[in-house]
Amino acid sequence: MHTLLNFFIKHNHWFLFLLLEGIGVMLIVQFNNYQNAKMFTSANSVAGNLFAAITDVSSYFALKSENARLLEYNKELNEQVTALQAHLAQQEDSATVAALPHKANGFFYNCATVVNNSLNAVNNYITIDKGTADGVEAEMGVFCNKGVVGIIYTASEHYSVVIPLLNSKSSISCRVKGSDSFCTLQWDGSDTRYSYLVDLPRYTKFEVGDTVVTSGFSSIFPADIPVGIIERTEDSDDGMFAQARVELFTDFATLRKVYTVGNEGRKEQWELENSISKE
Amino acid sequence: MTSNNLIRIRNFVILAFIQVLIFSQIHLFGYATAHIYLIFLLKLPRFTSRNEQMIWAFLFGLVVDIFGNTPGINACAATAMAFARGYILESFTQKGVADDFVPGIHTINVAGYIMYATLCLLLFYTVLFLLELFTIHYPLTLLASIAASTLLTLLFTLVIECFTRKK
């Protein structure tokens, strides 16, 4: 006991030192906001790191079920994306179709997307993704934002084949804007950018730079859908008619979205015309 | 003894004023602050009791803290320095010297005094800046502050040492 007391007395400066430092630290923590905050955040980060480490380890045990849950969630999200995309496409289609002209004149429109296209043959064909189920039938017109594309050749339930202007069988009734005489547009099978107006009466007045539009006579297309611009004029081989090289508005190489146009009165007109020729 | 204490209190007040009004306001290059009140502690006689030294140091630090809005920091650092000062001083005292001398360039030689002051100041500033920054996340700032402040205070200490009369 005596030795212990002696020890304390001998080393009393240690206790004073600790006491004073303790008071100092207490002052620091109590009165100084910055240190106060630091003390608390440090304490928190120690606890936080501990919890983070525990979570790191324990999370491995749940990885499998977590994975399954994520896959399921992914599937749901994918389904939602697909549904929303379809909905969006539908909205766009109806919006553009509603904006098209001549709706009231017996013409009805459909929006379609090109799914197959060829350019390099003499007889090119285009396949679009709308068929009889969408009201698309053979002999209906097809055009795009820039100009005429062609005519439906045949239609299945969900797809249709189009004879575009770039087909030697294609023959579209046209007219030079500003004159009333009509003529026929035919392709010569060479350059996909140009087609030819043939059988122009020699008295027809037209010049380079005139715009060629649909005539509206065939009832396949409404009148005045743009086709192209006259690029060069020349005589036909036999000299009886004039003909003109037309630069087409439609860029068939990049064709993507097209519209089909049908005419409610077309069948009646066709039957009527046929009945006359039979007699 | 009484006159000795009166002189000490006078020195205390003068140094405290100078420290608080002038030197605590100066932050050279953003790192260096001189704490010339430490001269008071460095110049305490060799055999001043350690408890007395620590109480002086604590009070002096507290005064500087109160005026500097840093309660506890200077008090802690100064107390730590006062605690260690005896040990440091003994290591620079020539063997066989039993006098109760006041440390200075005349009592322990110039090199010894510089070493003694440098070690004391290094300890003081290490504690001070550790408590002030309260983090070791900026070791370069910490080291720069400690080194710069130690040098600056040492410079002032030596200047004042040169101008004090030899007793």
Side-chain angles (χ1 to χ4, degrees):
Chain A
M1 190 66 203
H2 189 68
T3 2
L4 188 68
L5 215 64
N6 265 348
F7 174 81
F8 280 134
I9 291 165
K10 195 182 172 192
H11 293 94
N12 62 54
H13 60 274
W14 278 96
F15 298 107
L16 185 69
F17 174 67
L18 290 176
L19 177 74
L20 292 177
E21 292 290 346
I23 293 170
V25 169
M26 201 189 72
L27 286 171
I28 291 171
V29 173
Q30 279 209 324
F31 293 107
N32 198 308
N33 283 333
Y34 180 63
Q35 267 84 1
N36 206 343
K38 272 298 211 181
M39 190 70 119
F40 281 111
T41 48
S42 299
N44 268 348
S45 75
V46 169
N49 283 331
L50 185 70
F51 281 128
I54 290 170
T55 312
D56 265 359
V57 173
S58 63
S59 67
Y60 279 99
F61 299 112
L63 271 187
K64 201 170 178 181
S65 58
E66 184 72 3
N67 226 4
R69 202 183 63 78
L70 280 176
L71 280 175
E72 185 65 25
Y73 189 54
N74 228 2
K75 202 191 85 184
E76 276 173 32
L77 285 177
N78 257 331
E79 282 169 2
Q80 275 186 24
V81 166
T82 315
L84 285 173
Q85 274 176 346
H87 190 65
L88 193 66
Q90 209 180 354
Q91 292 279 325
E92 278 176 355
D93 284 3
S94 54
T96 43
V97 166
L100 290 169
H102 309 303
K103 182 117 177 159
N105 298 353
F107 287 102
F108 55 92
Y109 298 88
N110 252 320
C111 194
T113 304
V114 173
V115 292
N116 189 20
N117 192 2
S118 70
L119 290 172
N120 47 14
V122 178
N123 293 322
N124 294 300
Y125 294 96
I126 293 172
T127 313
I128 60 173
D129 67 345
K130 289 282 160 68
T132 52
D134 309 292
V136 175
E137 290 170 25
E139 302 287 308
M140 281 169 69
V142 180
F143 62 100
C144 69
N145 288 334
K146 288 177 182 168
V148 169
V149 173
I151 295 169
I152 305 273
Y153 176 58
T154 179
S156 69
E157 198 177 342
H158 293 296
Y159 292 97
S160 304
V161 172
V162 179
I163 295 181
L165 299 179
L166 306 183
N167 187 309
S168 60
K169 290 184 212 165
S170 164
S171 168
I172 299 212
S173 180
C174 294
R175 151 180 99 79
V176 179
K177 211 171 185 177
S179 83
D180 285 334
S181 57
F182 68 95
C183 49
T184 310
L185 189 75
Q186 282 187 342
W187 191 49
D188 67 343
S190 58
D191 198 329
T192 58
R193 288 174 298 168
Y194 299 101
S195 188
Y196 289 87
L197 277 182
V198 296
D199 297 341
L200 280 164
R202 290 191 67 88
Y203 55 83
T204 315
K205 283 176 184 163
F206 60 88
E207 285 171 15
V208 171
D210 282 354
T211 304
V212 179
V213 296
T214 55
S215 66
F217 288 158
S218 67
S219 77
I220 290 173
F221 287 103
D224 294 333
I225 291 179
V227 175
I229 283 179
I230 293 176
E231 192 249 354
R232 196 173 70 205
T233 60
E234 56 200 22
D235 287 339
S236 64
D237 293 340
D238 56 8
M240 297 286 282
F241 296 95
Q243 63 180 36
R245 195 155 96 128
V246 176
E247 188 178 356
L248 299 170
F249 286 134
T250 306
D251 182 2
F252 286 88
T254 60
L255 202 59
R256 180 83 189 129
K257 280 277 181 187
V258 295
Y259 306 102
T260 64
V261 53
N263 187 346
E264 285 160 1
R266 184 184 62 81
K267 213 166 193 176
E268 193 181 333
Q269 185 185 352
W270 187 74
E271 276 168 7
L272 183 64
E273 285 167 359
N274 260 16
S275 69
I276 296 166
S277 60
K278 269 177 194 168
E279 279 170 9
Chain B
M1 192 66 195
T2 317
S3 67
N4 220 353
N5 270 338
L6 281 175
I7 291 169
R8 269 187 205 165
I9 289 168
R10 187 203 69 187
N11 287 346
F12 185 110
V13 172
I14 292 171
L15 274 174
F17 264 106
I18 296 173
Q19 177 63 44
V20 168
L21 293 180
I22 303 170
F23 286 95
S24 285
Q25 316 297 326
I26 300 168
H27 301 280
L28 213 57
F29 311 120
Y31 291 115
T33 306
H35 290 82
I36 55 146
Y37 75 89
L38 298 174
I39 291 169
F40 179 89
L41 303 176
L42 289 173
K43 298 295 275 184
L44 284 174
R46 180 188 177 192
F47 291 138
T48 312
S49 98
R50 190 159 277 134
N51 288 349
E52 202 187 332
Q53 287 186 48
M54 284 195 291
I55 288 169
W56 274 117
F58 186 82
L59 289 176
F60 219 144
L62 199 61
V63 168
V64 174
D65 278 336
I66 287 166
F67 285 100
N69 285 325
T70 55
I73 293 175
N74 274 288
C76 276
T79 307
M81 190 188 110
F83 178 75
R85 187 194 82 117
Y87 300 113
I88 296 169
L89 182 59
E90 284 315 304
S91 63
F92 289 102
T93 308
Q94 281 160 339
K95 277 176 187 168
V97 177
D99 298 345
D100 182 15
F101 60 86
V102 171
I105 51 176
H106 303 293
T107 47
I108 49 179
N109 57 47
V110 177
Y113 184 71
I114 290 174
M115 286 298 289
Y116 154 76
T118 306
L119 279 176
C120 287
L121 292 175
L122 267 180
L123 177 76
F124 172 82
Y125 282 115
T126 306
V127 176
L128 182 89
F129 284 115
L130 275 174
L131 285 173
E132 192 167 300
L133 297 171
F134 219 64
T135 174
I136 52 166
H137 289 163
Y138 310 103
L140 285 179
T141 312
L142 189 68
L143 290 177
S145 299
I146 291 170
S149 296
T150 303
L151 278 174
L152 191 65
T153 307
L154 184 67
L155 190 72
F156 281 117
T157 309
L158 293 175
V159 168
I160 292 170
E161 176 72 18
C162 291
F163 284 99
T164 44
R165 282 169 298 149
K166 184 187 173 184
K167 282 181 182 173

